[in-house]
Amino acid sequence: MNNLTIDFKKVDGLVPCIIQDESSQKVLMLGYMNQEAIDKTIETGKVTFFSRTKQRIWTKGETSGNFLMVKSIKIDCDQDTLLIKAEPLGPVCHKGDDTCFEETNRSKTFFIDDLRTIIKDRKNNPTDKSYTASLFAKGINKIAQKVGEEAVEIVIEAKDDNKDLFLGEAADLMFHYLILLEAKNIELDEVMEVLIERHKKK
């Protein structure tokens, strides 16, 4: 992050910065940074902007406590726009909304992509301590069997009213389903394409 080469001349000393939720991928807000703001952002790990109205550096959340914790910083191909992925510690907008665009930011489904990356890594770089790697080592039959077992268990829990147990079985089923897809060398996006095509036909 310290090696950002920004063309400040092109943007009159202030570079626009898009803030995106690392987990949900939702765009949270847009701010502006000068070199001092970027340096402080990197140093503290908290998103810091240059206020064009107050003409000073300010850290997002310095009053409310709703900081934006930096996870990654990227610069675009023209070297004049930043993209910061962050973890919001509370509502982002000063009006109390999740984002400055009055959008709800509650979805956690993008974590599936992170989980898929971890599963792929366990397959390609197995360790003795990894449960996931041990399943890959046992082969497709064992993995398919586990998916079947988890499917039966969620059906059983669906008949009862214990939400925590049902959520646990739902998570187990999804986890093992993703392992099965990886074992078959099938991307989740391929499954999504089938669903999309089916939806188009309705």
Side-chain angles (χ1 to χ4, degrees):
M1 292 192 297
N2 288 297
N3 297 321
L4 296 172
T5 303
I6 301 169
D7 190 348
F8 280 110
K9 292 182 180 180
K10 187 189 300 185
V11 290
D12 296 325
L14 287 179
V15 60
C17 180
I18 301 164
I19 310 298
Q20 184 180 29
D21 188 303
E22 184 195 36
S23 296
S24 68
Q25 305 297 304
K26 183 78 72 174
V27 173
L28 302 175
M29 66 174 293
L30 171 70
Y32 290 84
M33 294 183 175
N34 60 6
Q35 187 64 62
E36 184 182 357
I38 292 170
D39 291 342
K40 188 171 182 181
T41 295
I42 294 172
E43 177 187 350
T44 65
K46 298 175 181 177
V47 175
T48 299
F49 296 109
F50 178 82
S51 172
R52 294 172 297 168
T53 54
K54 298 177 181 178
Q55 288 294 297
R56 69 171 178 85
I57 296 294
W58 67 284
T59 298
K60 178 66 178 173
E62 63 186 20
T63 302
S64 65
N66 298 331
F67 296 105
L68 292 167
M69 307 306 295
V70 177
K71 298 301 180 182
S72 67
I73 303 177
K74 295 182 179 180
I75 190 167
D76 77 335
C77 57
D78 291 324
Q79 297 182 307
D80 59 7
T81 303
L82 293 177
L83 172 64
I84 293 183
K85 293 189 178 184
E87 175 191 358
L89 303 183
V92 174
C93 183
H94 68 283
K95 294 181 178 180
D97 295 321
D98 288 348
T99 80
C100 289
F101 304 100
E102 297 183 344
E103 292 185 313
T104 301
N105 184 33
R106 296 286 186 270
S107 176
K108 304 298 183 185
T109 55
F110 275 92
F111 173 68
I112 290 177
D113 286 338
D114 293 334
L115 186 56
R116 289 167 58 207
T117 300
I118 294 170
I119 290 171
K120 189 182 294 289
D121 180 68
R122 295 294 187 272
K123 183 180 76 170
N124 297 329
N125 303 288
T127 64
D128 293 338
K129 297 181 179 180
S130 169
Y131 167 74
T132 304
S134 72
L135 280 181
F136 284 121
K138 292 175 182 176
I140 191 69
N141 289 342
K142 180 61 177 179
I143 295 170
Q145 178 186 335
K146 284 296 297 182
V147 173
E149 291 173 359
E150 299 301 342
V152 171
E153 289 176 11
I154 196 174
V155 169
I156 293 172
E157 290 301 333
K159 297 176 180 295
D160 296 324
D161 294 321
N162 191 317
K163 182 178 180 180
D164 288 340
L165 288 178
F166 179 81
L167 286 175
E169 295 301 341
D172 288 345
L173 177 58
M174 181 171 291
F175 176 66
H176 288 90
Y177 169 66
L178 292 175
I179 293 176
L180 179 61
L181 289 183
E182 182 60 37
K184 297 287 292 181
N185 294 312
I186 293 175
E187 296 293 333
L188 185 59
D189 286 345
E190 296 179 71
V191 180
M192 294 299 103
E193 285 294 334
V194 174
L195 291 174
I196 291 169
E197 288 302 316
R198 288 179 181 177
H199 180 71
K200 289 178 180 179
K201 295 176 182 178
K202 290 184 178 180

